[in-house]
């Protein structure tokens, strides 16, 4: 029979696993920071163009509606 795992060992292993996961996530984000920033900026610009276009086309539609 094997001896039971102590609480200290279990908690230490769990903490090490969580630390490793967080470290890997941070490394992945830092390795792809340029791509992530580009996607965020392009998305913000696209959303801005959409909102401005929506406002302009709504105004043009109302302008034509007044003629007919």
């Amino acid at each position: 029979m094997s001896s039971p795992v102590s609480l200290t060992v279990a908690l230490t292993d769990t903490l090490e696993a969580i630390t490793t996961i967080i470290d890997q996530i941070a490394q992945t984000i830092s390795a792809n920071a340029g791509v992530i920033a580009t996607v965020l900026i392009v998305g913000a610009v696209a959303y801005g163009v959409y909102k401005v276009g929506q406002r302009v086309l709504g105004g043009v539609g109302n302008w034509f509606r007044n003629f007919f």
Side-chain angles (χ1 to χ4, degrees):
M1 254 169 85
S2 64
S3 61
V5 178
S6 70
L7 182 60
T8 305
V9 172
L11 291 177
T12 302
D13 289 346
T14 303
L15 183 61
E16 286 178 10
I18 292 171
T19 305
T20 302
I21 291 169
I22 291 173
D23 183 50
Q24 290 297 321
I25 291 171
Q27 286 179 5
T28 303
I29 290 172
S30 67
N32 297 312
V35 174
I36 293 169
T38 302
V39 168
L40 288 175
I41 290 171
V42 168
V45 168
Y47 180 74
V49 168
Y50 166 76
K51 291 303 275 185
V52 169
Q54 192 176 29
R55 188 174 302 137
V56 168
L57 290 178
V60 171
N62 287 335
W63 186 69
F64 277 114
R65 204 170 301 138
N66 290 335
F67 283 122
F68 301 109

